[in-house]
Amino acid sequence: MSKQIEEVMALVGNACEAHCKDADARDALTPAARDVLAERARQVSAEGWTPERDDQYTDCQLAAAAASYAVCDKDPKALKLMGVTAWPWRGYWWKPETYRRNLEKAGALILAEIERIDRAAQAQKDQA
């Protein structure tokens, strides 16, 4: 097994462990679910999109980025023609690939947004 494959498998394992505490649930993940979790782990480890960094994006930026990848145009300016007008970051962060890969990125960004919402709700509870 190549070093790169080992690293990806470790990322998937860590992501699955973080998101599926039950071993049966981990085993039941489809390849698509594992790919989304691996992409989320890659976003954190390779791109630095940590939960703490995600917590700064309170104006739907993560969801807007996910929507942009979900419609999967190669040019962020062309997204306006498709009704998506909110790529939230600088153009160099826009890295579309194949349709399936873009959907993995979109899924990982949606997961990041849901986790951000959950952390914010927990923080509110903790303050009460």
Side-chain angles (χ1 to χ4, degrees):
M1 188 179 308
S2 76
K3 176 92 171 139
Q4 186 177 23
I5 291 173
E6 287 176 17
E7 289 173 2
V8 169
M9 293 304 291
L11 287 174
V12 171
N14 291 341
C16 291
E17 184 64 33
H19 293 282
C20 299
K21 302 296 183 196
D22 179 78
D24 290 335
R26 279 195 307 273
D27 293 342
L29 289 176
T30 65
R34 285 192 300 270
D35 290 346
V36 168
L37 290 171
E39 172 56 20
R40 177 66 188 134
R42 189 202 66 76
Q43 289 171 352
V44 172
S45 66
E47 303 287 351
W49 296 103
T50 62
E52 296 79 17
R53 188 171 178 185
D54 291 345
D55 288 347
Q56 299 172 26
Y57 300 112
T58 58
D59 293 323
C60 300
Q61 293 98 324
L62 295 168
S68 296
Y69 275 117
V71 297
C72 70
D73 196 284
K74 299 275 187 208
D75 180 1
K77 293 176 185 168
L79 292 172
K80 290 181 182 179
L81 299 175
M82 300 172 77
V84 179
T85 59
W87 175 251
W89 300 299
R90 294 183 180 188
Y92 61 81
W93 286 109
W94 178 247
K95 301 172 187 173
E97 297 178 49
T98 66
Y99 180 51
R100 187 181 190 286
R101 183 76 179 106
N102 289 347
L103 292 174
E104 291 170 11
K105 291 178 182 188
L109 286 160
I110 289 294
L111 179 60
E113 176 68 350
I114 293 168
E115 290 173 342
R116 185 199 64 75
I117 290 167
D118 290 349
R119 284 191 302 275
Q122 186 61 52
Q124 275 194 324
K125 276 185 184 179
D126 292 346
Q127 290 178 357

